[in-house]
Amino acid sequence: MNQKAIPAIAADFVGVLLLIFVSVPLLSPLLKTPTIRGGSILFLLFILVGLGLNRIKRLESQDRFRPNWLKTLDFSNHQPTLIFLAIAIIFVFVLAQADLNDLWGDTVDLFENTGEVHEGEMTLYITFGPIFIWLMAGALFFAGFVLKTEKVIETDAAAYRWTEFVGLLLINALLGLFGLFLAGWLGRTLPAAGSTVVFLSLSIFLGLMFFPIRGRHTLRHPLPITIISFVLYLIFTAIWVL
């Protein structure tokens, strides 16, 4: 095995262990059904992933080893694409938070209790309430995903491998939590759907959301074995969270 692939593969392996022993047994009740605690955990991890991406971008690029087919998929230096992907991911995050925190139900309750809550209070709640906080978390993620950094962690630096491992592990942990949320949401939205339909839906959605996030590392450190490792981890997640 290429020694340079060890941090990424180790992050995928530890991600599997976290999914088996922590995420599914302990966090499923919080993320498969709407709970504020589940939303808070997802909120915190989303911020940490944004910070982790900022560190991953500092890793010295090794794109001289990148095959031609991967170069055609490179979006890392195209700002409009980066902005579009970041906004799409943040949009999904906000929708997930709205569902987990039952924002729609709370808003309806506020408008129904007009005698207890003034119109100004309702406006302040909607404008500067949870959506504002979620968008602030999205702004941190946006900075980590999109903005350029001039600082570089060289390949021979001691921090290089640890930065890779920790950053990718955070991404994998977030993928696992989103997998749990989506499995619960699909179960509530499509109760008659079979396990095959749910698995395929999960795999496609998680791929669309997390391939760009993982790509911020892969495009700087392109090794086929790490791509395969991540694909296997994603498929395992889609199966295990059902």
Side-chain angles (χ1 to χ4, degrees), residues 61-78 215-224 227:
S61 178
Q62 300 182 42
D63 59 358
R64 61 186 180 275
F65 302 115
R66 185 168 51 182
N68 290 330
W69 66 268
L70 192 58
K71 291 180 181 179
T72 61
L73 302 176
D74 188 358
F75 57 83
S76 59
N77 292 318
H78 191 252
R216 296 299 276 150
H217 169 265
T218 302
L219 293 170
R220 304 187 67 81
H221 197 168
L223 293 171
I227 299 174

